[in-house]
Amino acid sequence: YQFPAVNVPEGSQITWNFGDGTPPVSGFTVQNTVHIFTQNGSFDVSMSVVLPGGTSCPVVVKQDTVVIS
C-alpha cells in the first residue's frame, strides 16, 4: 500500500504507525512511504510529526483505516 505524500516543514521528525504490529517507521524523509501488509484485515494507520526544534507534543496530521482483503 502506498501512502500519499504529506507536506511537513523541513527538519520534521515523521513517524508512521501501520496498526499491524510491525514497528513504527521514523525518520526525516518518510513523508511518502510504502508498507506491505502481510495479513488481511482492517488497520488503523497514523502518521505523527514532531516539528523542528523538538516540539514535545507530536502533531497528528494523517490518520486513516486501510482494509486489506
Side-chain angles (χ1 to χ4, degrees):
Y1 187 87
Q2 174 138 10
F3 297 92
V6 176
N7 291 324
V8 296
E10 187 174 328
S12 296
Q13 174 75 30
I14 302 161
T15 302
W16 284 94
N17 187 328
F18 301 104
D20 63 352
T22 59
V25 174
S26 294
F28 294 99
T29 59
V30 292
Q31 294 101 317
N32 187 12
T33 192
V34 173
H35 182 71
I36 298 172
F37 291 89
T38 60
Q39 302 174 29
N40 293 340
S42 179
F43 305 98
D44 291 324
V45 177
S46 64
M47 185 189 95
S48 61
V49 175
V50 176
L51 300 175
T55 302
S56 61
C57 181
V59 178
V60 175
V61 296
K62 179 147 184 78
Q63 186 166 355
D64 204 353
T65 299
V66 175
V67 178
I68 306 296
S69 57

